[in-house]
Amino acid sequence: MELRQAVQERRSIRRFKPDPVPETLVREILDAARWSPSWGNTQPWEFYVITGEPLQKFQAANGAAFDEKGQPQPDIKMPDSWTEELKKRYMAIGKSALDSLGLARDDAAGRNDHGRNMFRLFNAPCLIVACIDKRSTSVEYALLDVGLISQTICLLAHDRGLGTCLLACAVRFPAVLKSLLPDGDDKLLAIGIILGYPDGDAPINRFARERATLDEIVTWVK
Ligand SMILES: Cc1cc2nc3c(=O)[nH]c(=O)nc-3n(C[C@H](O)[C@H](O)[C@H](O)COP(=O)(O)O)c2cc1C
């Protein structure tokens, strides 16, 4: 697949076929993604690949944490306010997703079900958790590097017919996840990436997304 095609076609996938993702394929994707750039080639990223029973256990526990409405304690602070422009985009994508599910704004129960489904990681058959070492002295740059390799993973996965979605909600209750991970307490959990074969017909995988125009985001200095 052409790089440009992969960049333009990739989209977040939130409904998957039940088929498992072959470990050889995940290995191939991560092996290629290792060539992503990083600060001083430090390669601060570390990954857990979680499938099968441990993943099912986590999906149930994370869904339960959502239901309990406890205080999230993510290792990486989540944004909680935005400039007007950013907020508009955030609200717009949320509305598009809910519209695609046929959920009205005032359908509190339906929205709650969607929230739980999200915290259950959309029942994806594979989860990659990207972490950095707790001892990192520049969390910001390490996270930038994690972002770079995460997009590379998503593009490579797309090239191999897999769908992905980056999920902050996978690391919102990190204690739940760390209890399942060897040496989990030594890491800062940065982001989850779910993988699986996309259910191509599902409206949640097909709604239109917008992007800001170049004029909105670029200042040419000549
Ligand atoms: C850091 C990060 C965290 C995200 N967390 C979530 C999440 O918790 N739940 C979700 O449904 N999508 C999540 N997304 C996906 C974004 O909503 C999505 O990338 C954005 O709306 C653009 O849509 P696209 O990926 O289809 O192009 C996340 C994306 C990023 C980059």
Side-chain angles (χ1 to χ4, degrees):
M1 186 184 283
E2 285 294 324
L3 176 63
R4 181 186 297 264
Q5 184 189 349
V7 170
Q8 288 184 343
E9 277 184 2
R10 182 220 56 85
R11 59 167 300 141
S12 293
I13 294 300
R14 297 182 175 88
R15 200 177 162 103
F16 298 91
K17 295 179 178 161
D19 313 53
V21 182
E23 185 175 322
T24 48
L25 189 47
V26 181
R27 201 172 268 279
E28 177 202 305
I29 289 165
L30 291 174
D31 193 38
R34 286 184 303 132
W35 291 96
S36 302
S38 61
W39 197 100
N41 202 26
T42 46
Q43 305 161 66
W45 44 66
E46 297 175 43
F47 302 99
Y48 293 96
V49 181
I50 312 169
T51 58
E53 215 178 291
L55 179 57
Q56 284 166 15
K57 220 167 142 182
F58 174 57
Q59 285 164 328
N62 207 44
F66 169 81
D67 281 334
E68 284 158 22
K69 309 278 181 234
Q71 185 63 34
Q73 289 193 314
D75 290 341
I76 311 300
K77 185 184 177 297
M78 304 270 165
D80 51 16
S81 63
W82 300 266
T83 61
E84 273 311 307
E85 271 164 315
L86 271 60
K87 191 168 176 186
K88 226 188 286 168
R89 295 174 195 155
Y90 179 48
M91 302 301 281
I93 196 77
K95 181 175 182 322
S96 299
L98 293 175
D99 284 352
S100 79
L101 294 168
L103 293 172
R105 203 180 172 72
D106 57 359
D107 183 352
R111 291 169 68 125
N112 196 58
D113 287 348
H114 173 62
R116 184 185 308 107
N117 193 28
M118 183 174 79
F119 275 78
R120 293 181 67 104
L121 317 181
F122 301 113
N123 215 22
C126 181
L127 170 67
I128 298 174
V129 181
C131 321
I132 57 173
D133 194 296
K134 224 177 181 169
R135 294 165 298 179
S136 305
T137 53
S138 169
V139 169
E140 289 84 353
Y141 269 103
L143 290 176
L144 180 59
D145 297 339
V146 166
L148 291 168
I149 197 168
S150 296
Q151 164 76 336
T152 308
I153 290 168
C154 292
L155 291 174
L156 288 164
H158 179 72
D159 175 55
R160 302 296 263 110
L162 290 168
T164 58
C165 188
L166 290 147
L167 285 183
C169 68
V171 294
R172 234 173 137 81
F173 299 102
V176 173
L177 190 45
K178 286 181 187 182
S179 70
L180 297 167
L181 303 178
D183 300 322
D185 287 335
D186 301 336
K187 320 286 182 206
L188 299 179
L189 306 189
I191 192 77
I193 308 171
I194 48 172
L195 289 96
Y197 292 97
D199 177 343
D201 297 330
I204 189 82
N205 292 340
R206 297 171 63 88
F207 65 81
R209 299 102 68 234
E210 301 285 334
R211 290 296 194 264
T213 63
L214 273 195
D215 284 347
E216 289 172 273
I217 59 171
V218 181
T219 303
W220 303 96
V221 183
K222 301 186 193 177

